[in-house]
Amino acid sequence: MGLLEGKKGLILGIANQFSIAWAITEKLHEQGAEMAFTHLPDGDRPKNEKKLRKLVDPIGARFVMPCDVCDDAHIEAVMVKAKEEFGQIDFILHSIAFASPDDLTGPTYAASRKGYLQAMEISAYSLLAVAGAAKKKDILSKHSSILTLTYFGGEEIIPGYNLMGICKAALECGVRYLASELGPDGCRVNAISAGPLKTVSAQGVGDFDQMLALYGAMSPMRDNIDMEDVGKSGLFLLSDLSSGITGEVVHVDKGFSKMGAPPADFLESMKG
Ligand code: 0WD
């Protein structure tokens, strides 16, 4: 029997097959989870819905709905549908972030007020909004788990991560407050702080290839993570295997964030 047999959940943030949320979804599906999915609303051409359906229809998506997390009515509609379809849910995966390139690529002191607010709304506030809407509809089961995705640039300075680092700091703090507020209902809230992975969102972050090279050379494992690594950790945090863990930011980064100085072989390679 799968780890998630009989468990139901919502997945927010699959853009395509390279999305982190898809890697986690595949693991959840292997373990028997039943899931529903949201995508960014489409304009005239249904490309987001189409890309998502191509992935999730074959694994038995219970429903697929548009949801712009900037719109409370969209979030509410998803929760209403989830209640109709599932009654209660056992997990929510929030794998969403956005900052406009104009505001992301410059120094943080040059970010526009509007860009800052938009990035914060989509990348940090949305977790509170989604968790709040689920609580209001009373759809979280007594042993539920909410998981979001963050990055080390929210804890320490990562040149190029800029405004998104500020958003991730807020998101991680939100994880802790939500954990304390939803804990009495039996709901756990955690984040995975993932090492760099080539996805659509990652393309907006400066010097991405250099970052991959740095992780490969400097991390304790001298390696980068892959989708399998993040998928398995997502499964762990959304399942009962992590029943004692809440309010945590779990680093899935081959240990990069634990290094206080470069290892000797890295320094040696700099000489050559
Ligand atoms: O290296 C990486 N890729 C890392 C990503 C390292 C560490 C953390 N992360 C985080 C990201 O910051 C994000 O929070 O993981 C999360 C997922 O990122 P991803 O899988 O790298 O990115 P992607 O496949 O682009 O999915 C993010 C999605 C959006 O995709 P697009 O490409 O269409 O922007 O977030 C969704 C959208 O599907 N999204 C929204 N969903 C609802 N409402 C909104 C919105 N307003 N804006 C973006």
Side-chain angles (χ1 to χ4, degrees):
M1 187 170 133
L3 274 175
L4 288 162
E5 217 67 57
K7 303 279 186 192
K8 298 149 196 142
L10 284 175
I11 307 287
L12 286 72
I14 299 179
N16 57 37
Q17 72 271 34
F18 305 111
S19 297
I20 292 173
W22 174 240
I24 297 175
T25 294
E26 284 187 295
K27 293 291 165 201
L28 297 169
H29 172 64
E30 279 170 26
Q31 294 298 324
E34 289 178 55
M35 290 169 277
F37 301 85
T38 71
H39 60 85
L40 256 181
D42 286 300
D44 294 339
R45 289 164 49 224
K47 72 174 171 48
N48 293 330
E49 180 180 352
K50 232 169 125 180
K51 273 192 279 184
L52 177 61
R53 279 195 181 280
K54 212 172 137 192
L55 294 168
V56 303
D57 282 348
I59 63 163
R62 288 280 290 268
F63 64 83
V64 168
M65 269 179 90
C67 178
D68 179 348
V69 291
C70 297
D71 190 328
D72 286 331
H74 286 203
I75 299 175
E76 161 85 9
V78 171
M79 297 304 161
V80 168
K81 179 76 179 163
K83 185 142 196 165
E84 265 170 38
E85 190 71 25
F86 295 128
Q88 290 217 299
I89 57 172
D90 306 287
F91 61 87
I92 300 176
L93 175 62
H94 170 281
S95 186
I96 288 170
F98 179 79
S100 98
D102 287 349
D103 297 293
L104 188 62
T105 49
T108 57
Y109 62 73
S112 68
R113 189 179 300 268
K114 202 169 147 225
Y116 179 95
L117 292 173
Q118 183 194 35
M120 275 288 185
E121 180 179 16
I122 298 176
S123 313
Y125 174 73
S126 65
L127 179 70
L128 309 183
V130 167
K135 164 127 179 109
K136 201 168 140 204
K137 278 273 162 301
D138 195 23
I139 61 166
L140 293 168
S141 74
K142 276 279 164 253
H143 299 280
S144 59
S145 175
I146 297 177
L147 178 65
T148 188
L149 269 299
T150 185
Y151 177 62
F152 186 48
E155 295 170 64
E156 304 291 349
I157 302 156
I158 299 287
Y161 205 59
N162 310 349
L163 178 58
M164 192 49 72
I166 298 174
C167 296
K168 292 304 191 191
L171 179 73
E172 290 172 21
C173 194
V175 163
R176 292 185 283 276
Y177 277 91
L178 285 174
S180 137
E181 292 158 2
L182 300 180
D185 298 338
C187 176
R188 299 181 294 111
V189 187
N190 293 291
I192 285 178
S193 183
L197 284 161
K198 275 203 171 178
T199 64
V200 182
S201 292
Q203 284 164 15
V205 177
D207 302 330
F208 192 77
D209 286 331
Q210 277 177 25
M211 202 52 121
L212 287 174
L214 192 67
Y215 271 67
M218 255 192 69
S219 67
M221 312 288 298
R222 306 290 193 278
D223 199 3
N224 277 281
I225 65 159
D226 59 20
M227 285 295 181
E228 185 75 9
D229 294 316
V230 79
K232 288 188 290 194
S233 297
L235 168 65
F236 167 67
L237 288 166
L238 288 172
S239 78
D240 266 4
L241 287 182
S242 56
S243 56
I245 301 176
T246 194
E248 281 292 347
V249 175
V250 177
H251 294 85
V252 181
D253 63 355
K254 302 273 178 178
F256 180 86
S257 56
K258 297 297 165 279
M259 296 298 292
D265 52 329
F266 177 82
L267 293 174
E268 201 54 41
S269 72
M270 299 288 287
K271 287 185 195 159

